[in-house]
Amino acid sequence: DQGELKQAMKTFNRALESFDNLGLNPSHEVFSTLLEVHNVLADEGKYPEAEEALKEANDILDRMQGSARDMEA
């Protein structure tokens, strides 16, 4: 249902903002979920929104990789 998808996206975006506001590093699950969001939006033809989700996923991947490098040092 379209209404449920919109509500789920709002909730998910609030959760991402909370991660950022608290200075927490999102997990692999958040990254994977963003990729799924990208796929759903792209399938619906919502390409600008899909691109934004993909950019967010890339940002999270960069942060996760940076955290992993910091732990190795």
Side-chain angles (χ1 to χ4, degrees):
D1 176 64
Q2 198 67 352
E4 290 175 355
L5 178 61
K6 280 186 174 184
Q7 184 59 40
M9 288 298 297
K10 285 181 185 179
T11 301
F12 185 70
N13 285 328
R14 279 196 307 265
L16 284 179
E17 286 176 19
S18 294
F19 269 104
D20 286 338
N21 291 339
L22 295 171
L24 299 174
N25 287 325
S27 65
H28 176 76
E29 288 79 12
V30 174
F31 170 76
S32 297
T33 301
L34 272 170
L35 290 180
E36 291 299 323
V37 167
H38 164 267
N39 292 337
V40 169
L41 291 170
D43 287 346
E44 292 182 350
K46 297 179 179 178
Y47 301 113
E49 295 92 339
E51 183 179 3
E52 187 61 34
L54 190 57
K55 286 179 183 177
E56 285 268 354
N58 281 330
D59 289 346
I60 288 171
L61 181 60
D62 288 342
R63 283 191 267 169
M64 289 189 320
Q65 289 174 337
S67 294
R69 282 191 298 269
D70 291 344
M71 292 172 65
E72 291 174 0

